[in-house]
């Protein structure tokens, strides 16, 4: 449906979180004339990208009463996508020569560069003035047709406030998912989740088993090879006969999943190989977690499917008062945050309308039925994938009268994932898609988002 030109409603909106999703949500809501309060429990913007050497006291993060450390970033982390495709549409993530030497101009820069970009974004669009730092949202519930938010500041003082709408942007890489391993209760070694991994030094001379071979598993195992005696990756997706010595290190092996852990300290893989291991690092992903949300059981998280949600954003019976930004994965995340935010802002102002509750529910059930028919588990509900993500983003763009996502951006994501999977030791420094970089920067130039193509970008 084509959106009409002028905003109708200006609402009082709460945004939970000032990470990459919450910042752009705040900007889009304000652009649409809403009044916005962003609640952020940390003392600065950036969310996940605010690296801290601290990790949680419980290395598997199983204790529900533990002190939570939000960030899952490790010291050596560089982005897993090319920077050109990561930025917001009108504020490209390009090397900024005017800044100091701590900036990283590489195509796959360090986590510090992403944080610097998000700070630049917040400064450029004067977003910080909307953020209440050191303020954690502890409860969200309906209050008639409005929403009540209870927050607690760093002095422990609680406050209840009423909003017309709540936009949840609390991030989804903090609550770990841990692998189930037969025999693990009697296994005497140490275990931790990648959420609590920062640097390799504590693993010096150890034999380490890393479970998971996607972005974090691959990175952390390579980070460990510099100090550990041996590193063995257990990959659930690999056939049971897999046994490979990986390139780029002389102490790194790839196995299928673990068969069992034994009380003598050994780990047996499904390929029959046995190693005497000191530590297991679970690089097994994260679960969605909304400890503050009270919807009387309407919204559930089952096997990591948050639902029911129309197009991963609006719970049909509670829309548009409650919405979620940033649940999907395997996609261009910053682009998704921006488009979802624009959609929420336009729906709240009345510029764009949602279908009826029944129609939204019908659409949501159709998505679940398709997922089941394709044999995907529930936890894949929010996984978009290369083709699905372009369709999804363009569908939202169409709702709000925005152009479709640039082809070069989708192609960079696609090629980037292929490189990540096939050349995990070199994908950040070797590529053969310079033509996409040129296209991206020409696009930025054409839109006057940059004044010149920086010389450093071709490495
Ligand atoms: P976050 O950045 O996690 O922000 C959420 C914010 O909400 C935080 O500031 C938190 O303090 C706040 N918050 C949470 N609960 C509350 C509460 N109750 N009250 C108040 N405030 C609260 N994406 C990419 O595009 N490229 C990459 O290269 C990339 N690499 C990654 C590497 C790792 C190891 C991980 C884990 C993820 C990576 N991602 C990457 C995905 C990344 O999570 C997203 O890019 C994005 O930064 C997430 O933004 P967000 O705002 O949704 O969440």
């Amino acid at each position: 449906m084509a959106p009409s030109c002028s905003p109708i409603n200006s609402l009082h909106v709460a945004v939970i979180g000032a990470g990459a999703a919450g910042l752009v949500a705040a900007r889009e809501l304000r652009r649409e004339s809403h009044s916005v309060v962003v609640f952020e429990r940390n003392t600065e913007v950036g969310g996940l990208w605010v690296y801290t050497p601290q990790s949680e006291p419980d290395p598997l993060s199983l204790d529900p009463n533990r002190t939570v450390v939000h960030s899952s970033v490790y010291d050596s982390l560089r982005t897993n996508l090319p920077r050109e495709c990561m930025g917001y549409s009108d504020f490209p993530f390009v090397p900024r020569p005017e800044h100091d030497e701590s900036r990283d101009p590489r195509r796959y820069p360090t986590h510090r560069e992403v944080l610097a970009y998000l700070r630049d974004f917040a400064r450029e669009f004067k977003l910080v003035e909307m953020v209440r730092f050191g303020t954690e949202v502890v409860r969200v519930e309906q209050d008639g047709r409005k929403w009540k938010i209870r927050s607690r500041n760093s002095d422990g003082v609680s406050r209840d406030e009423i909003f017309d709408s709540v936009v949840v942007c609390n991030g989804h890489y903090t609550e770990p998912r841990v692998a189930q391993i037969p025999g693990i209760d009697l296994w005497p070694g140490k275990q931790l989740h990648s959420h609590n991994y920062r640097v390799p030094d504590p693993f010096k001379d150890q034999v380490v088993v890393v479970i998971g071979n996607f972005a974090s598993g691959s990175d952390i195992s390579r980070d460990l090879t510099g100090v550990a005696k041996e590193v063995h990756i257990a990959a659930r997706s690999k056939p049971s006969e897999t046994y490979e010595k990986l390139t780029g290190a002389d102490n790194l092996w790839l196995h299928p999943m673990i068969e069992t852990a034994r009380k003598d300290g050994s780990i047996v893989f499904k390929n029959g190989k046995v190693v005497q291991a000191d530590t297991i690092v679970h690089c097994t992903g994260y679960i969605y977690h909304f400890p503050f949300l009270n919807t009387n059981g309407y919204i559930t998280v089952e096997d990591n499917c948050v639902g029911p949600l129309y197009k991963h954003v609006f719970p049909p019976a509670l829309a548009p008062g409650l919405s979620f930004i940033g649940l999907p994965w395997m996609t261009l995340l910053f682009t998704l945050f921006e488009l979802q935010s624009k959609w929420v802002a336009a729906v709240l102002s009345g510029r764009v309308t949602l279908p009826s509750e029944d129609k939204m529910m019908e659409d949501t059930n159709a998505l679940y039925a398709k997922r089941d028919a394709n044999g995907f588990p529930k936890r894949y509900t929010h996984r978009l994938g290369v083709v699905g993500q372009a369709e999804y983003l363009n569908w939202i763009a169409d709702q709000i009268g925005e152009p479709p996502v640039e082809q070069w951006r989708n192609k960079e994501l696609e090629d980037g994932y292929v490189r990540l999977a096939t050349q995990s030791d070199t994908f950040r420094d070797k590529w053969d898609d310079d033509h996409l970089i040129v296209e991206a920067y020409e696009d930025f130039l054409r839109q006057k988002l940059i004044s010149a193509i920086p010389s450093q970008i071709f490495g």
Side-chain angles (χ1 to χ4, degrees):
M1 177 187 304
S4 68
C5 295
S6 52
I8 304 162
N9 293 321
S10 170
L11 301 185
H12 189 41
V13 185
V15 172
I16 304 176
L23 286 174
V24 75
R27 184 185 75 163
E28 298 309 330
L29 286 160
R30 190 174 57 187
R31 278 181 167 171
E32 195 80 19
S33 302
H34 301 298
S35 76
V36 183
V37 176
V38 181
F39 292 88
E40 172 50 61
R41 64 183 173 194
N42 203 346
T43 51
E44 58 177 306
V45 302
L48 172 103
W49 299 99
V50 181
Y51 172 79
T52 167
Q54 264 95 50
S55 58
E56 294 178 3
D58 167 10
L60 280 179
S61 302
L62 295 174
D63 178 359
N65 300 316
R66 71 194 189 275
T67 305
V68 172
V69 172
H70 186 79
S71 183
S72 299
V73 162
Y74 31 93
D75 193 39
S76 63
L77 181 77
R78 289 168 65 191
T79 63
N80 51 40
L81 284 177
R83 63 189 304 155
E84 313 83 68
C85 72
M86 263 183 68
Y88 303 114
S89 65
D90 56 355
F91 192 74
F93 185 22
V94 295
R96 290 179 190 265
E98 70 270 25
H99 288 287
D100 61 65
E101 284 170 3
S102 68
R103 301 297 291 249
D104 181 353
R106 288 176 296 179
R107 193 181 188 204
Y108 287 80
T110 65
H111 57 86
R112 292 174 187 84
E113 176 74 3
V114 185
L115 180 60
Y117 166 77
L118 290 172
R119 284 178 178 156
D120 287 347
F121 178 71
R123 194 178 310 116
E124 175 78 16
F125 294 98
K126 300 186 172 44
L127 304 177
V128 170
E129 61 196 35
M130 287 185 272
V131 185
R132 240 184 254 167
F133 290 106
T135 310
E136 178 171 13
V137 170
V138 292
R139 196 168 172 85
V140 173
E141 64 192 3
Q142 253 184 317
D143 186 284
R145 293 172 65 82
K146 304 216 173 205
W147 289 84
K148 183 160 83 182
I149 286 212
R150 175 165 300 164
S151 63
R152 193 168 45 216
N153 71 13
S154 45
D155 298 324
V157 178
S158 293
R159 178 173 170 190
D160 286 348
E161 289 161 274
I162 301 294
F163 289 86
D164 296 310
S165 171
V166 179
V167 183
V168 179
C169 306
N170 66 325
H172 312 299
Y173 296 93
T174 295
E175 197 67 20
R177 185 216 311 270
V178 170
Q180 304 299 314
I181 305 169
I184 197 69
D185 291 346
L186 296 176
W187 185 72
K190 290 194 194 122
Q191 297 183 72
L192 78 156
H193 189 277
S194 56
H195 173 59
N196 294 310
Y197 176 86
R198 296 293 180 270
V199 289
D201 313 22
F203 306 88
K204 190 166 172 1
D205 299 329
Q206 290 194 7
V207 174
V208 185
V209 172
V210 173
I211 306 180
N213 193 29
F214 196 57
S216 298
S218 171
D219 271 358
I220 290 175
S221 52
R222 290 184 183 279
D223 208 21
L224 287 167
T225 56
V227 302
K229 188 171 157 207
E230 293 172 13
V231 181
H232 298 268
I233 302 175
R236 192 175 50 181
S237 59
K238 293 289 169 192
S240 58
E241 65 280 8
T242 305
Y243 180 58
E244 235 179 274
K245 193 158 189 311
L246 295 177
T247 54
D250 56 10
N251 55 352
L252 181 60
W253 288 266
L254 179 65
H255 301 261
M257 197 39 194
I258 296 172
E259 176 80 38
T260 184
R262 293 184 184 144
K263 65 178 178 197
D264 64 0
S266 58
I267 297 289
V268 184
F269 295 94
K270 285 190 187 291
N271 58 9
K273 301 286 174 198
V274 181
V275 298
Q276 203 66 29
D278 300 290
T279 302
I280 296 175
V281 187
H282 294 248
C283 298
T284 37
Y286 295 85
I287 51 178
Y288 299 104
H289 191 51
F290 310 98
F292 46 80
L293 192 59
N294 177 14
T295 59
N296 291 320
Y298 180 72
I299 294 178
T300 59
V301 184
E302 280 173 27
D303 188 21
N304 226 22
C305 166
V306 185
L309 287 182
Y310 175 60
K311 306 288 183 197
H312 310 277
V313 174
F314 290 108
L318 304 174
L322 183 66
S323 56
F324 294 78
I325 304 291
L327 297 193
W329 49 285
M330 281 204 94
T331 180
L332 293 159
L333 278 171
F334 286 37
T335 305
L336 173 117
F337 299 158
E338 184 178 346
L339 285 169
Q340 288 185 330
S341 297
K342 286 183 165 151
W343 187 33
V344 168
V347 167
L348 289 177
S349 72
R351 208 162 53 81
V352 170
T353 43
L354 290 174
S356 67
E357 181 186 335
D358 285 351
K359 284 264 180 261
M360 287 194 275
M361 210 53 229
E362 225 173 82
D363 185 275
T364 307
N365 285 331
L367 174 77
Y368 297 160
K370 190 171 162 198
R371 172 201 68 200
D372 295 344
N374 286 333
F376 290 121
K378 275 189 176 175
R379 63 177 182 278
Y380 274 43
T381 306
H382 304 294
R383 178 186 187 273
L384 295 183
V386 169
V387 178
Q389 72 97 28
E391 274 171 20
Y392 175 80
L393 295 176
N394 289 342
W395 183 88
I396 297 189
D398 187 53
Q399 295 297 298
I400 53 180
E402 291 282 321
V405 175
E406 306 90 327
Q407 281 303 332
W408 62 260
R409 209 183 280 272
N410 287 321
K411 191 78 176 88
E412 284 210 347
L413 176 86
E414 189 178 340
D415 290 0
Y417 277 149
V418 170
R419 277 198 302 274
L420 192 151
T422 56
Q423 44 171 101
S424 60
D425 54 337
T426 58
F427 75 95
R428 293 186 172 95
D429 299 301
K430 282 194 185 143
W431 55 79
D432 57 5
D433 58 354
D434 276 349
H435 62 288
L436 292 177
I437 310 183
V438 172
E439 233 180 282
Y441 279 86
E442 283 178 356
D443 210 0
F444 300 152
L445 262 182
R446 203 169 26 250
Q447 295 182 63
K448 300 192 170 38
L449 299 172
I450 56 172
S451 52
I453 298 187
S455 55
Q456 319 96 310
I457 60 162
F458 295 109

